[in-house]
Amino acid sequence: MTEVVQRVEDTIGAARPLTDRHPDPRDTLVDAAVRYAEERHWDVLAGSWLEDDPGGRVLCSCASAACPTPGAHPTRPDWATHASGSAPAVRRMWTKQPRSSVLLPTGRTFDAIDVPEVAGCLALARMERMDLPLGPVLCTPDRRLVFLVLPGAAVKVPDLLRKLGWTPGSLDLLVRGEGEWVAAPPTRTGRGSVQWARRPTALNRWLPDVEELLSPLAYACGRELAAARGR
């Protein structure tokens, strides 16, 4: 996964960090969470975390052996009302449980477009050649790239895909909007750690609209679909 992130960053060029202090991989979860709230004005939520059981397995704090997102999901049904963009409030969340994952609700200051890693890397290279505006991009341990875009993408994408000649649902392209979330670095899940393929910087503070990115993303996902069918 680290090699993939490095290849992507080499392709698009390393951007200057949002502040003079580079994000340090040794930062605690609360350090990162507070930075997202203070520097990006993103709402943040403390989520579940990983626990070691006596048998040596790593389990989600929710205690479900069948948890679909171990160590990276909200811990209560009314989670949306507890997310906050206030740095003091964020600090208080992690005071209760320092190992909590860092979750960012979507549908507020951003939506998220989630695609397979191979398609995402292809799309990133294509976007760079086209000089398209890009926001931060997440790299997940289940081999996905997640592009942050302006809110409202969840409503727009089905019609935009139809205009591009695709039936909604035919591509492995997911949109996360209101009522959903993404896990942010340095969250560690049951499958590995979440990382930035493109870090939040002063240069990408203003997010692109999904209309600007969907064509190369759909093209890349289409190529990946055709390749899978040919295997």
Side-chain angles (χ1 to χ4, degrees):
M1 181 63 66
T2 301
E3 292 176 358
V4 172
V5 173
Q6 188 60 57
R7 289 203 307 271
V8 172
E9 290 194 336
D10 287 345
T11 299
I12 62 178
R16 182 173 178 78
L18 184 61
T19 67
D20 290 335
R21 187 175 74 82
H22 289 253
D24 190 324
R26 294 169 297 181
D27 278 354
T28 63
L29 290 154
V30 67
D31 288 335
V34 168
R35 192 164 57 243
Y36 297 144
E38 287 185 333
E39 298 179 359
R40 298 301 288 205
H41 305 294
W42 289 340
D43 280 359
V44 181
L45 178 72
S48 60
W49 58 94
L50 297 179
E51 296 274 15
D52 294 324
D53 78 346
R57 296 177 301 168
V58 177
L59 299 176
C60 184
S61 60
C62 70
S64 171
C67 178
T69 53
H73 63 79
T75 59
R76 52 195 301 167
D78 60 344
W79 64 267
T81 63
H82 291 269
S84 176
S86 161
V90 170
R91 286 194 183 279
R92 286 194 295 272
M93 293 180 201
W94 269 266
T95 299
K96 298 175 182 178
Q97 178 44 256
R99 290 183 294 166
S100 294
S101 55
V102 182
L103 306 183
L104 305 176
T106 51
R108 299 186 181 189
T109 51
F110 62 81
D111 279 3
I113 310 299
D114 181 330
V115 299
E117 182 181 86
V118 172
C121 289
L122 174 63
L124 271 177
R126 188 177 178 87
M127 291 171 189
E128 177 67 11
R129 290 195 301 271
M130 297 170 68
D131 198 27
L132 293 178
L134 283 166
V137 181
L138 288 160
C139 187
T140 74
D142 52 352
R143 305 187 70 82
R144 310 281 297 184
L145 289 192
V146 181
F147 293 72
L148 304 191
V149 297
L150 289 173
V155 175
K156 295 179 179 179
V157 164
D159 284 342
L160 290 173
L161 284 176
R162 291 187 189 96
K163 290 177 181 177
L164 292 170
W166 295 99
T167 301
S170 62
L171 298 177
D172 188 0
L173 184 152
L174 309 175
V175 188
R176 305 192 185 282
E178 186 175 359
E180 299 181 90
W181 69 88
V182 294
T187 293
R188 184 171 68 93
T189 76
R191 299 181 181 88
S193 296
V194 183
Q195 302 178 51
W196 287 112
R198 281 181 57 92
R199 297 181 184 278
T201 72
L203 298 178
N204 62 25
R205 179 179 292 279
W206 306 109
L207 299 178
D209 191 283
V210 68
E211 294 183 45
E212 299 173 277
L213 306 187
L214 193 61
S215 179
L217 283 170
Y219 169 81
C221 288
R223 279 192 55 171
E224 180 70 3
L225 178 63
R229 287 172 175 169
R231 292 187 188 116

